[in-house]
Amino acid sequence: MMRFHGYFRSSSSYRCRIAFNLKGLTPEFVPVHLVKDGGQQKSAAYRALNPQGLVPTLEVDGLVLTQSPAILEWLDETHPEPRLLPQDAAERAAVRAFCAVIACEIHPLQNLRTLQYLEAAYGQGPDGKEAWCQRWIGDGLASCEALLAKRAPTRFAFGDAPGMAEIYLIPQLFSAKRFKVDTSAMPRLTEIAAACDTHPAFAAAHPSQQPDAE
């Protein structure tokens, strides 16, 4: 049994959906709406499952996994084909560094609870929150572009097949579009996104294709 709790527009849920598709896995989906009912992730029932009150959560035969980086690494270790991380240790470190720019430097500053706090504590409306996201998403993606500019170009970020880098990148580019971030000076990221657009695992994981999409 594999049950996945997520939200269609959550970047971290989006990452996991791509990984499931690449691995050929079809977990049962349980929607957790982050806005309705004051945020369903805050309910006592959901917090009993995930004490942080965040998405995603993956249940597998009694095991409960939280935090998308942990879920993704567990998936790659327990379902090793196709590989999401390179075999070479140096290349794995390079991919992990790329992913950490997104997961550690960008995502915490643009997630829902941060934006809600900017509104509640500092009176920021839609324009202020959008400007905040443009600053931090733009800076982070520019760093991702610079990391890849040092490498010989390949179809995807770190080779000729998609992997962990694309799993992190594509949801972040979706958020960049939502917040009107200018990515015109990021040709490598644009090329990689175009390659992913033609891949069925990414198309099926898109937020617009999810059963809980609004």
Side-chain angles (χ1 to χ4, degrees), residues 7-10 14 17 174 177-178 197 202-214:
Y7 179 59
F8 77 105
R9 206 161 53 197
S10 155
Y14 193 172
R17 292 196 302 265
F174 172 80
K177 186 174 182 179
R178 280 184 62 213
D197 283 345
F202 290 83
H206 193 276
S208 66
Q209 302 302 305
Q210 305 317 305
D212 60 329
E214 297 174 331

Side-chain angles (χ1 to χ4, degrees), residues 124-143:
Q124 293 297 317
D127 290 346
K129 290 186 286 186
E130 187 172 274
W132 169 273
C133 288
Q134 288 172 351
R135 164 66 193 279
W136 298 115
I137 296 173
D139 281 3
L141 289 178
S143 296

Side-chain angles (χ1 to χ4, degrees), residues 14 18 21-22 156 162-163 166-168 170-171 195-207 209:
Y14 193 172
I18 297 169
N21 293 343
L22 288 171
F156 294 96
E166 288 74 26
I167 284 170
Y168 280 81
I170 296 307
C196 291
D197 283 345
T198 65
H199 196 295
F202 290 83
H206 193 276
Q209 302 302 305

Side-chain angles (χ1 to χ4, degrees), residues 139-197:
D139 281 3
L141 289 178
S143 296
C144 289
E145 177 76 16
L147 288 172
L148 296 183
K150 297 180 178 181
R151 302 177 59 87
T154 49
R155 177 167 169 76
F156 294 96
F158 290 87
D160 294 324
M164 197 72 80
E166 288 74 26
I167 284 170
Y168 280 81
L169 175 62
I170 296 307
Q172 191 57 64
L173 289 175
F174 172 80
S175 292
K177 186 174 182 179
R178 280 184 62 213
F179 293 112
K180 303 176 185 175
V181 177
D182 182 6
T183 58
S184 60
M186 304 174 191
R188 278 296 291 132
L189 301 189
T190 301
E191 291 168 357
I192 294 162
C196 291
D197 283 345

